[in-house]
């Protein structure tokens, strides 16, 4: 196989594997640039630090069933897929299954492989203006070092007018009876029946992420504010924990803990839900990228296991 044909084959590969000798991650560029798995293999055992995608999800390129997918050019929902910006009304395609055009474009489209090394891969997505009337480019640098997973995500405005924007990551974690989350925050957004924000309030006393809570005892689909960009997830019955450290402007944390599911989510993001439609006097995290401007941030996942 020639170098060029090998490159073409890699672009169409369902999975790309990277490893640092401690951890292995599988990446699915065609499935929304998602991470399909992140695991340690030690002494004949396997530890999945993120919920792994099953073969069927990989085959159908289902980003929502992966271990982690990127959020660009915004996080979460836009009410009715509609908002106004700089004197124009933007209307995004919606459907009964997706009435608020959730999570933007990145997880819906294939990404290309920009560079690959044994323990790192660079993925790129380029968006041509359509219902979203701005051209932009997104990039992920996914790497492993000392068993830790790092993902740096960036967004660049390629249009000649300012673009409203946001970004983040949507990781899924294995849920167990004693899975526990601790994440310093100061507030949260109550929501309506469409999971859209209505009122900013203090965190609930009985399940405050700052003091920590057991996932099995909550039912969150909630944006938390005042996040210090650090969180700890622990699985005490297995003697394991995972620290999450994010960089600015990933200043909001979305917790999704659906009862009875084998997973939960802790999502570092730049913006609250429906940020483009909220009062600008409130800190929504909405970023406005000038033409050519780029913003980026890294999220680092650091696992540890008790002896």
């Amino acid at each position: 196989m020639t170098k060029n044909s090998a490159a073409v084959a890699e672009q169409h590969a369902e999975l790309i594997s990277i490893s640092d000798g401690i951890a292995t991650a599988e990446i699915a560029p065609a499935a929304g640039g998602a991470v399909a798995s992140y695991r340690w293999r030690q002494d004949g055992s396997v530890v999945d630090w993120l919920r792994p995608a099953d073969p069927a999800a990989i085959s159908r390129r289902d980003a929502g069933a992966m271990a982690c997918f990127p959020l660009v050019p915004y996080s979460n929902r836009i009410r009715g897929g509609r908002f106004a910006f700089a004197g124009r009304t933007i209307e995004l395609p919606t459907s009964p299954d997706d009435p608020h055009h959730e999570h933007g474009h990145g997880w819906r489209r294939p990404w290309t492989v920009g560079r690959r090394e044994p323990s790192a891969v660079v993925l790129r997505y380029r968006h041509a203006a359509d219902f979203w009337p701005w051209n932009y480019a997104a990039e992920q640098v996914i790497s492993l070092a000392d068993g830790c997973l790092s993902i740096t995500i960036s967004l660049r405005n390629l249009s000649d007018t300012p673009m409203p924007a946001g970004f983040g990551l949507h990781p899924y974690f294995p849920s167990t009876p004693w899975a526990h989350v601790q994440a310093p925050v100061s507030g949260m957004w109550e929501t309506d029946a469409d999971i859209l924000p209505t009122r900013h309030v203090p965190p609930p006393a009985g399940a405050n992420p700052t003091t920590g809570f057991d996932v099995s005892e909550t039912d969150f689909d909630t944006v938390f504010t005042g996040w210090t960009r650090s969180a700890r997830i622990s699985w005490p019955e297995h003697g394991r924990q995972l620290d999450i450290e994010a960089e600015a402007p990933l200043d909001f944390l979305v917790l999704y803990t659906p009862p009875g599911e084998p997973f939960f989510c802790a999502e570092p993001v730049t913006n609250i839900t429906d940020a483009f439609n909220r009062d600008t006097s409130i800190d929504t995290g909405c970023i406005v990228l000038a033409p050519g401007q780029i913003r980026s941030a890294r999220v680092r996942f650091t696992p540890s296991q008790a002896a």
Side-chain angles (χ1 to χ4, degrees):
M1 183 180 291
T2 66
K3 183 176 180 180
N4 286 342
S5 62
V8 171
E10 180 172 90
Q11 293 288 354
H12 292 85
E14 293 291 350
L15 289 179
I16 291 174
S17 182
I18 60 174
S19 178
D20 66 352
I22 300 173
T24 300
E26 294 175 309
I27 295 96
V35 175
S37 67
Y38 165 45
R39 56 175 55 112
W40 283 5
R41 296 182 185 272
Q42 292 183 325
D43 301 324
S45 64
V46 175
V47 177
D48 278 298
W49 297 105
L50 298 175
R51 176 198 67 177
D54 63 31
I58 294 167
S59 179
R60 67 177 182 265
R61 299 179 177 179
D62 183 358
M66 296 288 166
C68 178
F69 62 81
L71 304 170
V72 292
Y74 57 84
S75 164
N76 224 293
R77 300 161 179 84
I78 295 175
R79 187 179 292 275
R82 180 186 175 101
F83 68 97
F85 180 78
R88 66 198 301 185
T89 297
I90 313 303
E91 294 189 62
L92 304 175
T94 60
S95 69
D97 292 334
D98 185 24
H100 307 294
H101 203 76
E102 192 169 3
H103 297 326
H105 313 119
W107 70 310
R108 305 168 190 263
R109 313 283 174 81
W111 293 51
T112 60
V113 179
R115 187 178 74 250
R116 182 182 176 187
E117 300 170 359
S119 60
V121 65
V122 176
L123 300 183
R124 297 188 176 116
Y125 168 67
R126 191 178 180 108
H127 185 83
D130 50 17
F131 293 99
W132 181 268
W134 296 277
N135 302 309
Y136 69 85
E139 183 178 271
Q140 295 181 85
V141 180
I142 304 170
S143 62
L144 296 170
D146 299 322
C148 302
L149 172 67
S150 291
I151 303 177
T152 299
I153 185 167
S154 63
L155 190 63
R156 182 175 184 177
N157 181 7
L158 300 178
S159 293
D160 57 5
T161 59
M163 180 181 83
F167 58 92
L169 295 177
H170 197 305
Y172 291 80
F173 303 94
S175 184
T176 65
W178 296 102
H180 188 82
V181 175
Q182 186 172 4
V185 298
S186 60
M188 59 173 271
W189 281 92
E190 288 185 340
T191 59
D192 61 17
D194 290 317
I195 324 295
L196 290 159
T198 57
R199 187 168 67 114
H200 189 250
V201 297
N208 190 328
T210 297
T211 55
F213 64 88
D214 290 336
V215 172
S216 62
E217 297 179 357
T218 62
D219 183 7
F220 284 134
D221 193 346
T222 305
V223 178
F224 287 89
T225 62
W227 185 43
T228 62
R229 300 192 296 276
S230 67
R232 172 167 289 178
I233 297 170
S234 58
W235 298 269
E237 66 267 53
H238 300 302
R240 300 171 191 154
Q241 68 182 32
L242 181 72
D243 289 316
I244 304 172
E245 296 291 337
E247 295 178 343
L250 298 170
D251 297 332
F252 299 88
L253 182 68
V254 178
L255 293 176
Y256 178 45
T257 60
E261 295 290 349
F263 65 83
F264 64 95
C265 302
E267 309 159 35
V269 299
T270 63
N271 61 276
I272 71 168
T273 303
D274 202 28
F276 303 152
N277 283 316
R278 301 300 302 185
D279 184 342
T280 56
S281 67
I282 302 169
D283 180 15
T284 66
C286 177
I287 297 167
V288 177
L289 292 177
Q293 185 179 6
I294 186 170
R295 293 293 300 271
S296 65
R298 184 180 75 160
V299 180
R300 181 176 172 86
F301 302 90
T302 302
S304 57
Q305 193 165 15

